[in-house]
Amino acid sequence: MAGTFTMYSTPWCGYCHRLKSQLKREGISFEEVDIEQQPEAAQIVEKANNGNQTVPTLVFEDGTALTNPSLAQIKAQLELASQA
């Protein structure tokens, strides 16, 4: 399954590592951005999370965002995007 979203994460985030492994196992592609290395990316995460730097935050091409989502939630969002 092809994916089109950006995952905002940090190197120390266990939830991020787990989700990345699940996505790779499923063959879902994504771009990853470390918010500690790119301060402008941290602002994107804060905007999606009411001022909090919560990771993983996924932002999809249509501008929607999911914070710490399950694999099922991601697949559902990608399915919706493919139908649009």
Side-chain angles (χ1 to χ4, degrees), residues 12 31-32 34 42 53 71 76:
W12 48 264
E31 180 182 341
E32 183 179 6
D34 179 349
Q53 289 188 11
L71 186 58

Side-chain angles (χ1 to χ4, degrees), residues 40 51 64:
E40 66 279 2
T64 58

Side-chain angles (χ1 to χ4, degrees), residues 56-77:
T57 294
L58 280 58
V59 178
F60 295 83
E61 275 192 332
D62 65 0
T64 58
L66 294 173
T67 302
N68 198 14
S70 69
L71 186 58
Q73 289 173 304
I74 296 167
K75 287 182 174 182
Q77 184 69 26

